Amino acid sequence: MTGSPPPPFTAADHRARMERAVRAAADAGLAGLLVAPGPDMVWLTGYTPTAVTERLTVLVLTPGHDPVLVVPTLEAPDAEHAVGASALTLRDWTDGKDPYAVTAALLDGAGRFGISDNTWAMHLLGLQRTLPDTSYASLTDALPMLRAVKDAAELELLAAAGAAADATFEEIRKVPFAGRRESDVGHDLAALLRRFGHSQVDFTIVGSGPNGANPHHEVGDRVIQDGDMVVLDFGGLKDGYGSDTTRTVHVGEPTPEERRVHDIVRAAQEAGFAAVRQGVACQEVDRAARAVITDAGYGAYFIHRTGHGIGVTTHEPPYMIEGEEQPLVPGMCFSVEPGIYLPGRFGVRIEDIVTVTEEGGRRFNNTTRELVVVG
C-alpha cells in the first residue's frame, strides 16, 4: 500500500452531491428527497449524528430551494460542525414542538418524495399524518444509482480499502489454521483489517469444511481440521469507504475434486470480470460467471447473485443479478463473487471489487486467485 489518500471531502463536494441528488430527483418525477441519518446523509452532507434517536433528523432536498437539515436543537451544535454544513441551512426544533410540522413547511403538500430506506416508520407515518396528500418512494427504488458512480477521489479511497484487504489476506495466509477455531481466525482477520487502516470491520466470514457451504456462515466454534477447505470473506470501512474480498484456502493438500471445483469458480470469476464493460447490462456479469459454473454441472450450487455495489456501505446498488438491466457506467464499483456450495461438504468463493473504466474493468483486489494451501 503506497501513496497518500486524496484530500478530505469539502463543503463544495457535498454541495455538488446535493445538487446532483436534486437533479436526479427531478428527473425521476419527484418533488424532492427526504434523507434520514445513515449512509445517504453522510455521503450528501458529511453529517453523522452522535446518536440516532426518536427525535426527527432529516435532510430536505427540493428543486429551487437551498438544502435544509431539520435537527433537534440539542444536536444543532454538532450538525453545525459537519463538513457540508455551510452548503445547507439548519432548521432546529425544540422538545415539545412538532418536528413534522417544521418539516411539512418545507414540502409540497401534494408531492411525491424519495425517502431514504432506513427512515424510521414513526417518522414516515408522522409526515403522512401531517401531509396526508403526499406520497413516498424508497430511494433504492426511486434513485438506485444515486451513489453508484464514484468520482476520482472516491475511487482512490476504494482502491486503498481494497489494498488494505489484500494486505490482510497476505498476512492471514501465514497464520496457523489447523487446530484453531473459526472464531480465532476471524479475530485475526478483524485485527489485521484494523492494523491496515480500517476503522470499521463489517464481517469476517470463516467457513471451514461443511460450514463453507453456507455463504454467510461468518464464524463459529468449529475447530478447523487438516483437509478442510476454508472460505475467507472479510471487509469493512477504511476512511469511510468499503472493502470486501473473498479467497478460499485449503488446510494441507486438496483432493483432485476440491482443486477442480476451485478451478471452476476461478474461471467463473474471471469470466464475470471479463464481462465488465461500459454499456453492458449488470445482468450480463452474472450471466457470464454463472454460465461457467452451470456448464461444469454445478449450476444448482451457485445460490446467490454474482455481485453487489460498494461505496460508503459494503452492500449497495448496483447488483449483478439476472433481471438487472442497468447499464454499467465508468465509476461504478461492485463485487464479482461467484461460488459453489456443496451441502455438508465444502464451499468455494472468490471475490474481487471491480470498477468500470472506459476500457473495461479494473480490480481493486489483486491477491492470487489460485488455491492457497495453509497450515
Side-chain angles (χ1 to χ4, degrees), residues 34-37 41 47 49 51-60 68-76 79 91-95 97-107 115-116 118-130 136:
L34 301 175
V35 182
M41 182 174 285
Y47 176 53
V52 178
T53 71
E54 74 285 355
R55 292 183 173 95
L56 177 68
T57 296
V58 62
L59 174 68
V60 179
V68 177
L69 182 62
V70 177
V71 295
T73 299
L74 76 170
E75 294 176 12
R91 187 76 55 86
D92 66 313
W93 61 276
T94 57
D95 286 353
K97 292 188 176 180
D98 183 352
Y100 307 114
V102 173
T103 307
L106 305 170
L107 305 179
I115 190 164
S116 50
N118 56 325
T119 304
W120 285 20
M122 64 179 286
H123 296 321
L124 176 56
L125 293 170
L127 287 168
Q128 288 177 318
R129 283 194 303 271
T130 306
Y136 302 87

Side-chain angles (χ1 to χ4, degrees), residues 168 241 339:
T168 295
Y241 281 76

Side-chain angles (χ1 to χ4, degrees), residues 47 122 131 151 215 220 261 330 345 351:
Y47 176 53
M122 64 179 286
L131 294 174
D151 63 26
V261 171
R345 301 183 62 205
E351 173 186 16

Side-chain angles (χ1 to χ4, degrees), residues 305-322:
R305 64 196 174 203
T306 292
H308 58 82
I310 190 168
V312 293
T313 59
T314 49
H315 279 215
E316 62 186 45
Y319 298 103
M320 305 302 112
I321 189 170
E322 181 66 32

Side-chain angles (χ1 to χ4, degrees), residues 32-192:
L33 303 179
L34 301 175
V35 182
D40 291 316
M41 182 174 285
V42 172
W43 184 78
L44 287 164
T45 70
Y47 176 53
T48 303
T50 53
V52 178
T53 71
E54 74 285 355
R55 292 183 173 95
L56 177 68
T57 296
V58 62
L59 174 68
V60 179
L61 300 175
T62 53
H65 298 88
D66 290 338
V68 177
L69 182 62
V70 177
V71 295
T73 299
L74 76 170
E75 294 176 12
D78 287 338
E80 289 171 352
H81 289 94
V83 177
S86 64
L88 49 79
T89 299
L90 288 179
R91 187 76 55 86
D92 66 313
W93 61 276
T94 57
D95 286 353
K97 292 188 176 180
D98 183 352
Y100 307 114
V102 173
T103 307
L106 305 170
L107 305 179
D108 175 352
R112 180 170 178 77
F113 296 90
I115 190 164
S116 50
D117 295 36
N118 56 325
T119 304
W120 285 20
M122 64 179 286
H123 296 321
L124 176 56
L125 293 170
L127 287 168
Q128 288 177 318
R129 283 194 303 271
T130 306
L131 294 174
D133 293 329
T134 55
S135 60
Y136 302 87
S138 77
L139 285 188
T140 292
D141 290 336
L143 296 177
M145 297 298 117
L146 180 62
R147 303 194 320 257
V149 179
K150 276 62 178 180
D151 63 26
E154 291 180 294
L155 293 173
E156 283 190 56
L157 289 166
L158 284 161
D166 282 359
T168 295
F169 177 71
E170 295 295 357
E171 291 299 313
I172 201 68
R173 61 186 288 186
K174 301 174 186 176
V175 308
F177 277 72
R180 301 176 71 215
R181 292 183 177 87
E182 292 172 342
S183 56
D184 297 328
V185 177
H187 182 270
D188 290 344
L189 283 169
L192 286 165

